[in-house]
Amino acid sequence: MTPNKPETNVDDPARVAAFEARIAAGETIEPKDWMPERYRRQLVRMMSQHAHSEVVGMLPEGNWITRAPTLRRKMSLLAKVQDEAGHGLYIYCGTETLGVDRHELIQQLLNGTAKYSSIFNYPTLSWADIGAIGWLVDGAAIVNQTMLAKASYGPYARAMVRICKEENFHKRQGFEIMATLSAGTPAQKRMAQDALDRWWWPSLMMFGPHDTDSPNSDELLRWGVKRKSNDELRQRFINLTVAQAKAIDLTIPDPQLRFDEASQNWLIGPIDWDEFWRVVRGNGPCNQERLAARRQAHDDGEWVRIAAAAYAAKQARAESTSEAA
Ligand code: FAQ
């Protein structure tokens, strides 16, 4: 692999124009292709935040593996959490094609200077929360990532194709949990409604600030990394999810929710952006707990990294000995 080298990557206007013409023609940009330094940095920013989100996203659900109510639910949840780890790894690999070392990115996560999705800073208080995460959080991720599967950067787009397939299974298992609880005893139904009440608004925040307050969107849309804006994707998710909530007899916790005939959209009340920024800036209900758990997991895994490096060195020695023979 010959990743882009920032120091030689001078953004002269003719090259930028040729690059933008390729994007306009629908071409995919590959790791060895020339790209503006700003494009590279935007991708590293977005992809590393995405990879961190997948990895931190294992924590709220991982807490429930031992408490899943049946063996079938336990197996599904175990597989889902394992998938999220895999997604993080694909995307970290993708960032390495842009010339960054994943250890550097992981250090940024561990020292608290990197962002990851706000949604994973909320607590999972009941089993229904596992249903709500699969249905809403993976549901929102699918809406967002189906578009990213058409992103202009090849390695990221290709990772999204596989990830979306797995997220579909995640969403279904979550929706099934919610449907089962909603059709269960009154206490189970209350549990499902309570989970929807707590996860609805944070799920809408996953799509990021309104377009008017999104400093990165214009550039990302121009360069074909994003294909739809934050608000367009959020609206698509709302339209899909309102119908699904009705189908399982749950109520979206928004007294202002109404169907707009003219646009054929479900319109919502105001999102609490103060809450969003509080969580993004590290002051959500579980930010500290999540980072502490990640740091602990990283420390606990040190022996595995040492063993893997020793094994790789041993393999390399064996290969060089057999080549010499
Ligand atoms: N949380 O200018 P924009 C998943 C930040 S994966 C935290 O609009 P952009 C699977 C943003 O970084 C979930 N920060 O930014 C799963 C920027 O800060 P910066 C993750 C947020 O990049 C399920 C600032 O606000 N998915 O769920 C958030 O154009 C279950 C201004 O915002 C991805 O990462 C937020 N919600 O648009 C796993 C998808 N929103 O960097 C486990 C890829 C915004 O300038 C269990 N990412 N910010 O300091 C994207 O599509 C985009 O990056 C957006 C944000 C849409 C998230």
PDB file of all heavy atoms in Angstrom, residues 45-46 49-50 54 61 80 84 115-118 120 138 144 156 167 205-209 214-216 220 226 230 276, ligand 1:
ATOM      1  N   ARG A  45     -11.107  12.257   9.682  1.00  0.00           N
ATOM      2  CA  ARG A  45     -11.950  12.750  10.789  1.00  0.00           C
ATOM      3  C   ARG A  45     -13.229  11.920  10.887  1.00  0.00           C
ATOM      4  O   ARG A  45     -13.554  11.358  11.926  1.00  0.00           O
ATOM      5  CB  ARG A  45     -12.298  14.232  10.541  1.00  0.00           C
ATOM      6  CG  ARG A  45     -13.190  14.869  11.593  1.00  0.00           C
ATOM      7  CD  ARG A  45     -13.704  16.244  11.139  1.00  0.00           C
ATOM      8  NE  ARG A  45     -14.630  16.132  10.028  1.00  0.00           N
ATOM      9  CZ  ARG A  45     -15.932  15.847  10.139  1.00  0.00           C
ATOM     10  NH1 ARG A  45     -16.461  15.665  11.328  1.00  0.00           N
ATOM     11  NH2 ARG A  45     -16.701  15.747   9.068  1.00  0.00           N
ATOM     12  N   MET A  46     -13.914  11.820   9.761  1.00  0.00           N
ATOM     13  CA  MET A  46     -15.229  11.184   9.790  1.00  0.00           C
ATOM     14  C   MET A  46     -15.117   9.670  10.005  1.00  0.00           C
ATOM     15  O   MET A  46     -15.844   9.082  10.798  1.00  0.00           O
ATOM     16  CB  MET A  46     -15.914  11.492   8.451  1.00  0.00           C
ATOM     17  CG  MET A  46     -17.334  11.107   8.391  1.00  0.00           C
ATOM     18  SD  MET A  46     -18.033  11.858   6.900  1.00  0.00           S
ATOM     19  CE  MET A  46     -19.225  10.598   6.500  1.00  0.00           C
ATOM     20  N   GLN A  49     -14.042   8.822  13.607  1.00  0.00           N
ATOM     21  CA  GLN A  49     -15.174   8.977  14.539  1.00  0.00           C
ATOM     22  C   GLN A  49     -16.136   7.804  14.379  1.00  0.00           C
ATOM     23  O   GLN A  49     -16.700   7.301  15.352  1.00  0.00           O
ATOM     24  CB  GLN A  49     -15.918  10.285  14.256  1.00  0.00           C
ATOM     25  CG  GLN A  49     -15.152  11.517  14.676  1.00  0.00           C
ATOM     26  CD  GLN A  49     -15.891  12.823  14.384  1.00  0.00           C
ATOM     27  OE1 GLN A  49     -17.055  12.805  13.965  1.00  0.00           O
ATOM     28  NE2 GLN A  49     -15.235  13.936  14.590  1.00  0.00           N
ATOM     29  N   HIS A  50     -16.305   7.376  13.138  1.00  0.00           N
ATOM     30  CA  HIS A  50     -17.214   6.262  12.874  1.00  0.00           C
ATOM     31  C   HIS A  50     -16.667   4.964  13.492  1.00  0.00           C
ATOM     32  O   HIS A  50     -17.385   4.227  14.179  1.00  0.00           O
ATOM     33  CB  HIS A  50     -17.410   6.133  11.365  1.00  0.00           C
ATOM     34  CG  HIS A  50     -18.494   5.191  10.967  1.00  0.00           C
ATOM     35  ND1 HIS A  50     -18.978   5.113   9.681  1.00  0.00           N
ATOM     36  CD2 HIS A  50     -19.194   4.265  11.667  1.00  0.00           C
ATOM     37  CE1 HIS A  50     -19.926   4.197   9.639  1.00  0.00           C
ATOM     38  NE2 HIS A  50     -20.071   3.663  10.827  1.00  0.00           N
ATOM     39  N   GLU A  54     -18.334   2.564  16.535  1.00  0.00           N
ATOM     40  CA  GLU A  54     -18.629   1.126  16.487  1.00  0.00           C
ATOM     41  C   GLU A  54     -18.043   0.430  17.717  1.00  0.00           C
ATOM     42  O   GLU A  54     -18.679  -0.439  18.312  1.00  0.00           O
ATOM     43  CB  GLU A  54     -18.046   0.496  15.217  1.00  0.00           C
ATOM     44  CG  GLU A  54     -18.577   1.072  13.907  1.00  0.00           C
ATOM     45  CD  GLU A  54     -19.944   0.531  13.500  1.00  0.00           C
ATOM     46  OE1 GLU A  54     -20.469  -0.353  14.191  1.00  0.00           O
ATOM     47  OE2 GLU A  54     -20.489   1.024  12.493  1.00  0.00           O
ATOM     48  N   GLU A  61     -24.533  -2.419  24.903  1.00  0.00           N
ATOM     49  CA  GLU A  61     -25.188  -3.706  24.653  1.00  0.00           C
ATOM     50  C   GLU A  61     -24.439  -4.855  25.323  1.00  0.00           C
ATOM     51  O   GLU A  61     -25.050  -5.816  25.799  1.00  0.00           O
ATOM     52  CB  GLU A  61     -25.289  -3.955  23.158  1.00  0.00           C
ATOM     53  CG  GLU A  61     -26.274  -3.023  22.498  1.00  0.00           C
ATOM     54  CD  GLU A  61     -26.301  -3.222  21.008  1.00  0.00           C
ATOM     55  OE1 GLU A  61     -25.309  -2.850  20.348  1.00  0.00           O
ATOM     56  OE2 GLU A  61     -27.295  -3.747  20.506  1.00  0.00           O
ATOM     57  N   LYS A  80     -24.255  -9.830  17.455  1.00  0.00           N
ATOM     58  CA  LYS A  80     -24.361  -8.410  17.085  1.00  0.00           C
ATOM     59  C   LYS A  80     -23.178  -7.616  17.632  1.00  0.00           C
ATOM     60  O   LYS A  80     -22.537  -6.855  16.916  1.00  0.00           O
ATOM     61  CB  LYS A  80     -25.677  -7.836  17.619  1.00  0.00           C
ATOM     62  CG  LYS A  80     -25.837  -6.358  17.333  1.00  0.00           C
ATOM     63  CD  LYS A  80     -27.101  -5.805  17.974  1.00  0.00           C
ATOM     64  CE  LYS A  80     -27.448  -4.427  17.479  1.00  0.00           C
ATOM     65  NZ  LYS A  80     -26.453  -3.409  17.697  1.00  0.00           N
ATOM     66  N   GLU A  84     -20.155  -5.524  15.659  1.00  0.00           N
ATOM     67  CA  GLU A  84     -19.787  -4.095  15.813  1.00  0.00           C
ATOM     68  C   GLU A  84     -18.266  -3.974  15.935  1.00  0.00           C
ATOM     69  O   GLU A  84     -17.671  -3.040  15.404  1.00  0.00           O
ATOM     70  CB  GLU A  84     -20.457  -3.454  17.039  1.00  0.00           C
ATOM     71  CG  GLU A  84     -21.966  -3.628  17.166  1.00  0.00           C
ATOM     72  CD  GLU A  84     -22.795  -3.035  16.033  1.00  0.00           C
ATOM     73  OE1 GLU A  84     -22.208  -2.463  15.111  1.00  0.00           O
ATOM     74  OE2 GLU A  84     -24.031  -3.178  16.069  1.00  0.00           O
ATOM     75  N   LYS A 115     -13.888  12.304  18.925  1.00  0.00           N
ATOM     76  CA  LYS A 115     -15.344  12.210  19.065  1.00  0.00           C
ATOM     77  C   LYS A 115     -15.811  10.807  18.694  1.00  0.00           C
ATOM     78  O   LYS A 115     -15.165  10.120  17.912  1.00  0.00           O
ATOM     79  CB  LYS A 115     -16.029  13.199  18.127  1.00  0.00           C
ATOM     80  CG  LYS A 115     -15.938  14.650  18.560  1.00  0.00           C
ATOM     81  CD  LYS A 115     -16.969  15.483  17.787  1.00  0.00           C
ATOM     82  CE  LYS A 115     -17.047  16.905  18.302  1.00  0.00           C
ATOM     83  NZ  LYS A 115     -15.924  17.730  17.912  1.00  0.00           N
ATOM     84  N   TYR A 116     -16.943  10.420  19.232  1.00  0.00           N
ATOM     85  CA  TYR A 116     -17.672   9.230  18.772  1.00  0.00           C
ATOM     86  C   TYR A 116     -19.146   9.557  18.943  1.00  0.00           C
ATOM     87  O   TYR A 116     -19.490  10.554  19.588  1.00  0.00           O
ATOM     88  CB  TYR A 116     -17.254   7.960  19.546  1.00  0.00           C
ATOM     89  CG  TYR A 116     -17.472   8.037  21.033  1.00  0.00           C
ATOM     90  CD1 TYR A 116     -18.709   7.714  21.592  1.00  0.00           C
ATOM     91  CD2 TYR A 116     -16.459   8.474  21.893  1.00  0.00           C
ATOM     92  CE1 TYR A 116     -18.930   7.803  22.961  1.00  0.00           C
ATOM     93  CE2 TYR A 116     -16.678   8.563  23.257  1.00  0.00           C
ATOM     94  CZ  TYR A 116     -17.916   8.234  23.784  1.00  0.00           C
ATOM     95  OH  TYR A 116     -18.136   8.342  25.136  1.00  0.00           O
ATOM     96  N   SER A 117     -20.005   8.715  18.358  1.00  0.00           N
ATOM     97  CA  SER A 117     -21.420   9.099  18.305  1.00  0.00           C
ATOM     98  C   SER A 117     -22.013   9.337  19.692  1.00  0.00           C
ATOM     99  O   SER A 117     -21.853   8.523  20.609  1.00  0.00           O
ATOM    100  CB  SER A 117     -22.230   8.021  17.575  1.00  0.00           C
ATOM    101  OG  SER A 117     -23.576   8.460  17.476  1.00  0.00           O
ATOM    102  N   SER A 118     -22.737  10.454  19.789  1.00  0.00           N
ATOM    103  CA  SER A 118     -23.403  10.854  21.033  1.00  0.00           C
ATOM    104  C   SER A 118     -24.291   9.744  21.599  1.00  0.00           C
ATOM    105  O   SER A 118     -24.426   9.605  22.817  1.00  0.00           O
ATOM    106  CB  SER A 118     -24.262  12.091  20.752  1.00  0.00           C
ATOM    107  OG  SER A 118     -25.073  11.888  19.599  1.00  0.00           O
ATOM    108  N   PHE A 120     -24.047   6.703  22.155  1.00  0.00           N
ATOM    109  CA  PHE A 120     -23.525   5.660  23.032  1.00  0.00           C
ATOM    110  C   PHE A 120     -23.201   6.161  24.434  1.00  0.00           C
ATOM    111  O   PHE A 120     -22.624   5.435  25.241  1.00  0.00           O
ATOM    112  CB  PHE A 120     -22.335   4.958  22.363  1.00  0.00           C
ATOM    113  CG  PHE A 120     -22.735   4.359  21.043  1.00  0.00           C
ATOM    114  CD1 PHE A 120     -22.183   4.788  19.852  1.00  0.00           C
ATOM    115  CD2 PHE A 120     -23.731   3.393  21.003  1.00  0.00           C
ATOM    116  CE1 PHE A 120     -22.601   4.262  18.636  1.00  0.00           C
ATOM    117  CE2 PHE A 120     -24.161   2.861  19.796  1.00  0.00           C
ATOM    118  CZ  PHE A 120     -23.598   3.298  18.610  1.00  0.00           C
ATOM    119  N   ASP A 138     -29.470   1.105  15.220  1.00  0.00           N
ATOM    120  CA  ASP A 138     -29.021   0.448  13.987  1.00  0.00           C
ATOM    121  C   ASP A 138     -29.867   0.907  12.808  1.00  0.00           C
ATOM    122  O   ASP A 138     -29.373   1.032  11.692  1.00  0.00           O
ATOM    123  CB  ASP A 138     -29.068  -1.072  14.148  1.00  0.00           C
ATOM    124  CG  ASP A 138     -27.947  -1.559  15.054  1.00  0.00           C
ATOM    125  OD1 ASP A 138     -26.858  -1.842  14.556  1.00  0.00           O
ATOM    126  OD2 ASP A 138     -28.170  -1.617  16.279  1.00  0.00           O
ATOM    127  N   ASN A 144     -28.174   6.207   7.389  1.00  0.00           N
ATOM    128  CA  ASN A 144     -26.970   7.020   7.165  1.00  0.00           C
ATOM    129  C   ASN A 144     -25.945   6.271   6.294  1.00  0.00           C
ATOM    130  O   ASN A 144     -25.379   6.811   5.347  1.00  0.00           O
ATOM    131  CB  ASN A 144     -26.399   7.368   8.552  1.00  0.00           C
ATOM    132  CG  ASN A 144     -25.040   8.010   8.519  1.00  0.00           C
ATOM    133  OD1 ASN A 144     -24.035   7.324   8.585  1.00  0.00           O
ATOM    134  ND2 ASN A 144     -25.000   9.316   8.400  1.00  0.00           N
ATOM    135  N   TYR A 156     -13.953   3.253   1.989  1.00  0.00           N
ATOM    136  CA  TYR A 156     -15.032   3.537   2.948  1.00  0.00           C
ATOM    137  C   TYR A 156     -16.366   3.014   2.395  1.00  0.00           C
ATOM    138  O   TYR A 156     -17.118   2.329   3.093  1.00  0.00           O
ATOM    139  CB  TYR A 156     -15.096   5.043   3.205  1.00  0.00           C
ATOM    140  CG  TYR A 156     -15.925   5.467   4.393  1.00  0.00           C
ATOM    141  CD1 TYR A 156     -16.082   4.653   5.516  1.00  0.00           C
ATOM    142  CD2 TYR A 156     -16.540   6.722   4.423  1.00  0.00           C
ATOM    143  CE1 TYR A 156     -16.822   5.078   6.614  1.00  0.00           C
ATOM    144  CE2 TYR A 156     -17.286   7.154   5.516  1.00  0.00           C
ATOM    145  CZ  TYR A 156     -17.426   6.322   6.605  1.00  0.00           C
ATOM    146  OH  TYR A 156     -18.165   6.749   7.694  1.00  0.00           O
ATOM    147  N   GLU A 167     -25.962  -4.635   9.649  1.00  0.00           N
ATOM    148  CA  GLU A 167     -26.844  -3.745  10.432  1.00  0.00           C
ATOM    149  C   GLU A 167     -28.313  -4.099  10.206  1.00  0.00           C
ATOM    150  O   GLU A 167     -29.152  -3.896  11.085  1.00  0.00           O
ATOM    151  CB  GLU A 167     -26.629  -2.257  10.079  1.00  0.00           C
ATOM    152  CG  GLU A 167     -25.219  -1.727  10.249  1.00  0.00           C
ATOM    153  CD  GLU A 167     -24.767  -1.542  11.682  1.00  0.00           C
ATOM    154  OE1 GLU A 167     -25.266  -2.258  12.579  1.00  0.00           O
ATOM    155  OE2 GLU A 167     -23.891  -0.697  11.918  1.00  0.00           O
ATOM    156  N   MET A 205     -30.677  12.643  17.073  1.00  0.00           N
ATOM    157  CA  MET A 205     -29.442  13.452  17.166  1.00  0.00           C
ATOM    158  C   MET A 205     -28.262  12.772  16.489  1.00  0.00           C
ATOM    159  O   MET A 205     -27.270  13.417  16.161  1.00  0.00           O
ATOM    160  CB  MET A 205     -29.094  13.708  18.643  1.00  0.00           C
ATOM    161  CG  MET A 205     -30.106  14.566  19.368  1.00  0.00           C
ATOM    162  SD  MET A 205     -29.709  14.630  21.129  1.00  0.00           S
ATOM    163  CE  MET A 205     -31.219  15.348  21.800  1.00  0.00           C
ATOM    164  N   MET A 206     -28.356  11.466  16.277  1.00  0.00           N
ATOM    165  CA  MET A 206     -27.242  10.747  15.625  1.00  0.00           C
ATOM    166  C   MET A 206     -26.904  11.333  14.256  1.00  0.00           C
ATOM    167  O   MET A 206     -25.789  11.201  13.778  1.00  0.00           O
ATOM    168  CB  MET A 206     -27.620   9.272  15.403  1.00  0.00           C
ATOM    169  CG  MET A 206     -27.546   8.404  16.625  1.00  0.00           C
ATOM    170  SD  MET A 206     -28.099   6.745  16.230  1.00  0.00           S
ATOM    171  CE  MET A 206     -26.755   6.120  15.239  1.00  0.00           C
ATOM    172  N   PHE A 207     -27.911  11.920  13.594  1.00  0.00           N
ATOM    173  CA  PHE A 207     -27.686  12.435  12.234  1.00  0.00           C
ATOM    174  C   PHE A 207     -26.914  13.754  12.225  1.00  0.00           C
ATOM    175  O   PHE A 207     -26.629  14.283  11.155  1.00  0.00           O
ATOM    176  CB  PHE A 207     -29.035  12.603  11.516  1.00  0.00           C
ATOM    177  CG  PHE A 207     -29.717  11.281  11.265  1.00  0.00           C
ATOM    178  CD1 PHE A 207     -30.605  10.743  12.179  1.00  0.00           C
ATOM    179  CD2 PHE A 207     -29.420  10.543  10.125  1.00  0.00           C
ATOM    180  CE1 PHE A 207     -31.199   9.506  11.978  1.00  0.00           C
ATOM    181  CE2 PHE A 207     -30.009   9.304   9.910  1.00  0.00           C
ATOM    182  CZ  PHE A 207     -30.904   8.780  10.835  1.00  0.00           C
ATOM    183  N   GLY A 208     -26.602  14.260  13.417  1.00  0.00           N
ATOM    184  CA  GLY A 208     -25.816  15.490  13.503  1.00  0.00           C
ATOM    185  C   GLY A 208     -26.695  16.722  13.514  1.00  0.00           C
ATOM    186  O   GLY A 208     -27.919  16.627  13.380  1.00  0.00           O
ATOM    187  N   PRO A 209     -26.077  17.901  13.674  1.00  0.00           N
ATOM    188  CA  PRO A 209     -26.843  19.148  13.778  1.00  0.00           C
ATOM    189  C   PRO A 209     -27.628  19.430  12.500  1.00  0.00           C
ATOM    190  O   PRO A 209     -27.382  18.823  11.461  1.00  0.00           O
ATOM    191  CB  PRO A 209     -25.764  20.214  14.006  1.00  0.00           C
ATOM    192  CG  PRO A 209     -24.488  19.595  13.569  1.00  0.00           C
ATOM    193  CD  PRO A 209     -24.628  18.116  13.720  1.00  0.00           C
ATOM    194  N   SER A 214     -24.193  22.762  10.386  1.00  0.00           N
ATOM    195  CA  SER A 214     -23.265  21.651  10.140  1.00  0.00           C
ATOM    196  C   SER A 214     -22.071  22.162   9.323  1.00  0.00           C
ATOM    197  O   SER A 214     -22.141  22.283   8.105  1.00  0.00           O
ATOM    198  CB  SER A 214     -24.018  20.552   9.372  1.00  0.00           C
ATOM    199  OG  SER A 214     -23.118  19.651   8.799  1.00  0.00           O
ATOM    200  N   PRO A 215     -20.948  22.483  10.008  1.00  0.00           N
ATOM    201  CA  PRO A 215     -19.835  23.114   9.284  1.00  0.00           C
ATOM    202  C   PRO A 215     -19.196  22.217   8.222  1.00  0.00           C
ATOM    203  O   PRO A 215     -18.626  22.722   7.263  1.00  0.00           O
ATOM    204  CB  PRO A 215     -18.829  23.430  10.399  1.00  0.00           C
ATOM    205  CG  PRO A 215     -19.219  22.583  11.562  1.00  0.00           C
ATOM    206  CD  PRO A 215     -20.689  22.319  11.437  1.00  0.00           C
ATOM    207  N   ASN A 216     -19.300  20.905   8.368  1.00  0.00           N
ATOM    208  CA  ASN A 216     -18.596  20.016   7.432  1.00  0.00           C
ATOM    209  C   ASN A 216     -19.412  19.614   6.211  1.00  0.00           C
ATOM    210  O   ASN A 216     -18.861  19.099   5.233  1.00  0.00           O
ATOM    211  CB  ASN A 216     -18.167  18.739   8.177  1.00  0.00           C
ATOM    212  CG  ASN A 216     -17.212  19.046   9.320  1.00  0.00           C
ATOM    213  OD1 ASN A 216     -16.097  19.496   9.091  1.00  0.00           O
ATOM    214  ND2 ASN A 216     -17.664  18.844  10.550  1.00  0.00           N
ATOM    215  N   LEU A 220     -18.324  18.061   2.375  1.00  0.00           N
ATOM    216  CA  LEU A 220     -18.509  16.603   2.214  1.00  0.00           C
ATOM    217  C   LEU A 220     -19.506  16.295   1.097  1.00  0.00           C
ATOM    218  O   LEU A 220     -19.359  15.310   0.372  1.00  0.00           O
ATOM    219  CB  LEU A 220     -18.970  15.976   3.531  1.00  0.00           C
ATOM    220  CG  LEU A 220     -17.935  15.986   4.668  1.00  0.00           C
ATOM    221  CD1 LEU A 220     -18.550  15.497   5.970  1.00  0.00           C
ATOM    222  CD2 LEU A 220     -16.722  15.121   4.312  1.00  0.00           C
ATOM    223  N   LYS A 226     -20.604  12.648   1.584  1.00  0.00           N
ATOM    224  CA  LYS A 226     -22.027  12.560   1.931  1.00  0.00           C
ATOM    225  C   LYS A 226     -22.817  12.687   0.634  1.00  0.00           C
ATOM    226  O   LYS A 226     -22.456  13.498  -0.229  1.00  0.00           O
ATOM    227  CB  LYS A 226     -22.419  13.727   2.836  1.00  0.00           C
ATOM    228  CG  LYS A 226     -22.005  13.586   4.276  1.00  0.00           C
ATOM    229  CD  LYS A 226     -22.529  14.805   5.057  1.00  0.00           C
ATOM    230  CE  LYS A 226     -22.318  14.643   6.536  1.00  0.00           C
ATOM    231  NZ  LYS A 226     -22.787  15.830   7.279  1.00  0.00           N
ATOM    232  N   ASN A 230     -27.591  16.022   6.600  1.00  0.00           N
ATOM    233  CA  ASN A 230     -28.015  15.513   7.910  1.00  0.00           C
ATOM    234  C   ASN A 230     -29.541  15.544   8.032  1.00  0.00           C
ATOM    235  O   ASN A 230     -30.163  14.575   8.471  1.00  0.00           O
ATOM    236  CB  ASN A 230     -27.420  16.378   9.039  1.00  0.00           C
ATOM    237  CG  ASN A 230     -25.901  16.318   9.106  1.00  0.00           C
ATOM    238  OD1 ASN A 230     -25.259  15.616   8.331  1.00  0.00           O
ATOM    239  ND2 ASN A 230     -25.316  17.057  10.035  1.00  0.00           N
ATOM    240  N   PHE A 276     -27.725  17.734  23.008  1.00  0.00           N
ATOM    241  CA  PHE A 276     -26.804  17.124  22.026  1.00  0.00           C
ATOM    242  C   PHE A 276     -25.372  17.607  22.266  1.00  0.00           C
ATOM    243  O   PHE A 276     -24.438  16.809  22.409  1.00  0.00           O
ATOM    244  CB  PHE A 276     -27.273  17.487  20.614  1.00  0.00           C
ATOM    245  CG  PHE A 276     -26.293  17.117  19.533  1.00  0.00           C
ATOM    246  CD1 PHE A 276     -26.146  15.798  19.131  1.00  0.00           C
ATOM    247  CD2 PHE A 276     -25.519  18.087  18.904  1.00  0.00           C
ATOM    248  CE1 PHE A 276     -25.243  15.446  18.127  1.00  0.00           C
ATOM    249  CE2 PHE A 276     -24.617  17.751  17.904  1.00  0.00           C
ATOM    250  CZ  PHE A 276     -24.477  16.431  17.509  1.00  0.00           C
TER     251      PHE A 276
HETATM  252  N1  FAQ B   1     -22.262  12.467  17.858  1.00  0.00           N
HETATM  253  O1  FAQ B   1     -20.556  19.243  10.540  1.00  0.00           O
HETATM  254  P1  FAQ B   1     -21.266  18.100  11.147  1.00  0.00           P
HETATM  255  C1  FAQ B   1     -23.620   2.981  14.636  1.00  0.00           C
HETATM  256  C2  FAQ B   1     -20.047  16.347  15.399  1.00  0.00           C
HETATM  257  S1  FAQ B   1     -22.375   3.917  14.006  1.00  0.00           S
HETATM  258  C3  FAQ B   1     -21.069  13.058  18.102  1.00  0.00           C
HETATM  259  O2  FAQ B   1     -22.659  17.840  10.708  1.00  0.00           O
HETATM  260  P2  FAQ B   1     -20.369  15.724   9.808  1.00  0.00           P
HETATM  261  C4  FAQ B   1     -23.565   1.503  14.472  1.00  0.00           C
HETATM  262  C5  FAQ B   1     -19.227  16.185  14.127  1.00  0.00           C
HETATM  263  O3  FAQ B   1     -18.301  15.151  14.267  1.00  0.00           O
HETATM  264  C6  FAQ B   1     -22.766   5.582  14.503  1.00  0.00           C
HETATM  265  N2  FAQ B   1     -20.597  14.082  17.355  1.00  0.00           N
HETATM  266  O4  FAQ B   1     -20.381  16.772  11.003  1.00  0.00           O
HETATM  267  C7  FAQ B   1     -23.818   0.859  15.761  1.00  0.00           C
HETATM  268  C8  FAQ B   1     -18.605  17.553  13.990  1.00  0.00           C
HETATM  269  O5  FAQ B   1     -17.492  17.658  14.868  1.00  0.00           O
HETATM  270  P3  FAQ B   1     -15.951  17.882  14.324  1.00  0.00           P
HETATM  271  C9  FAQ B   1     -21.762   6.505  13.979  1.00  0.00           C
HETATM  272  C10 FAQ B   1     -21.358  14.467  16.316  1.00  0.00           C
HETATM  273  O6  FAQ B   1     -19.216  14.847   9.982  1.00  0.00           O
HETATM  274  C11 FAQ B   1     -25.100   0.612  16.190  1.00  0.00           C
HETATM  275  C12 FAQ B   1     -19.666  18.476  14.582  1.00  0.00           C
HETATM  276  O7  FAQ B   1     -20.535  17.663  15.355  1.00  0.00           O
HETATM  277  N3  FAQ B   1     -21.951   6.721  12.579  1.00  0.00           N
HETATM  278  O8  FAQ B   1     -24.484   3.550  15.188  1.00  0.00           O
HETATM  279  C13 FAQ B   1     -22.575  13.874  15.991  1.00  0.00           C
HETATM  280  O9  FAQ B   1     -20.542  16.449   8.512  1.00  0.00           O
HETATM  281  C14 FAQ B   1     -25.320  -0.019  17.410  1.00  0.00           C
HETATM  282  C15 FAQ B   1     -20.466  19.192  13.484  1.00  0.00           C
HETATM  283  O10 FAQ B   1     -21.281  18.249  12.749  1.00  0.00           O
HETATM  284  C16 FAQ B   1     -21.095   7.449  11.866  1.00  0.00           C
HETATM  285  O11 FAQ B   1     -20.116   7.937  12.375  1.00  0.00           O
HETATM  286  C17 FAQ B   1     -23.021  12.834  16.818  1.00  0.00           C
HETATM  287  N4  FAQ B   1     -24.211  12.217  16.620  1.00  0.00           N
HETATM  288  O12 FAQ B   1     -21.724  14.883  10.025  1.00  0.00           O
HETATM  289  C18 FAQ B   1     -22.739   0.472  16.539  1.00  0.00           C
HETATM  290  C19 FAQ B   1     -21.408   7.568  10.390  1.00  0.00           C
HETATM  291  N5  FAQ B   1     -23.085  14.494  14.905  1.00  0.00           N
HETATM  292  O13 FAQ B   1     -15.472  16.564  13.823  1.00  0.00           O
HETATM  293  C20 FAQ B   1     -22.960  -0.177  17.762  1.00  0.00           C
HETATM  294  C21 FAQ B   1     -20.403   8.389   9.658  1.00  0.00           C
HETATM  295  C22 FAQ B   1     -22.203  15.447  14.561  1.00  0.00           C
HETATM  296  O14 FAQ B   1     -16.031  18.915  13.219  1.00  0.00           O
HETATM  297  C23 FAQ B   1     -24.267  -0.417  18.196  1.00  0.00           C
HETATM  298  N6  FAQ B   1     -20.476   9.808  10.014  1.00  0.00           N
HETATM  299  N7  FAQ B   1     -21.175  15.434  15.409  1.00  0.00           N
HETATM  300  O15 FAQ B   1     -15.216  18.327  15.556  1.00  0.00           O
HETATM  301  C24 FAQ B   1     -21.358  10.671   9.467  1.00  0.00           C
HETATM  302  O16 FAQ B   1     -22.213  10.339   8.673  1.00  0.00           O
HETATM  303  C25 FAQ B   1     -21.182  12.129   9.834  1.00  0.00           C
HETATM  304  O17 FAQ B   1     -19.913  12.292  10.415  1.00  0.00           O
HETATM  305  C26 FAQ B   1     -22.280  12.675  10.804  1.00  0.00           C
HETATM  306  C27 FAQ B   1     -21.914  14.106  11.199  1.00  0.00           C
HETATM  307  C28 FAQ B   1     -23.630  12.676  10.119  1.00  0.00           C
HETATM  308  C29 FAQ B   1     -22.352  11.836  12.085  1.00  0.00           C
END
